[in-house]
């Protein structure tokens, strides 16, 4: 199973990827201007490995969830979001 962010798919539709068939169990069109905090949460800002997670590196733009990376003071900064509900099962 997989999640999808596509205006062309709805739940229960099939997706082919790397020779396997997956069923879309959720979708989010990201049609607003902000990350929907009812469905998504940003990972806390903190140092990890050789960089940082930063909230300003994850945002909605043009109907897409953008997870960006940038260099700040010679350190890698990246965004991170997690979907609040369980969507993947074995």
């Amino acid at each position: 199973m997989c999640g999808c962010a596509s205006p062309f798919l709805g739940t229960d539709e099939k997706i082919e990827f790397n020779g396997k068939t997956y069923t879309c169990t959720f979708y989010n069109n990201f049609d607003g201007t902000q990350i929907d905090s009812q469905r998504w949460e940003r990972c806390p800002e903190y140092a990890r490995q050789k960089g940082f997670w930063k909230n300003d590196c994850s945002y909605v733009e043009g109907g897409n969830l953008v997870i960006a990376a940038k260099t700040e003071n010679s350190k890698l900064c990246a965004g991170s979001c997690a979907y609040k509900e369980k969507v993947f099962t074995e």
Side-chain angles (χ1 to χ4, degrees):
M1 290 186 231
C2 68
C4 49
S6 169
F8 307 110
L9 292 171
T11 55
D12 297 325
E13 293 195 38
K14 306 291 184 200
I15 300 170
E16 296 289 331
F17 181 74
N18 283 342
K20 295 182 181 180
T21 302
Y22 296 88
T23 301
C24 182
T25 58
F26 82 102
Y27 68 94
N28 189 331
N29 290 328
F30 299 100
D31 53 3
T33 58
Q34 297 180 29
I35 294 172
D36 180 355
S37 63
Q38 297 296 313
R39 297 176 122 186
W40 299 91
E41 62 186 345
R42 288 186 169 108
C43 293
E45 289 189 338
Y46 70 90
R48 70 181 288 281
Q49 297 175 359
K50 296 182 181 181
F52 297 88
W53 272 337
K54 293 196 66 165
N55 286 340
D56 66 348
C57 290
S58 55
Y59 52 91
V60 173
E61 180 179 87
N64 297 297
L65 173 61
V66 178
I67 304 295
K70 64 182 180 179
T71 303
E72 198 172 278
N73 298 325
S74 301
K75 299 280 186 178
L76 178 64
C77 299
S80 181
C81 288
Y83 194 68
K84 290 184 175 182
E85 296 178 30
K86 182 178 178 181
V87 294
F88 298 99
T89 58
E90 294 183 29

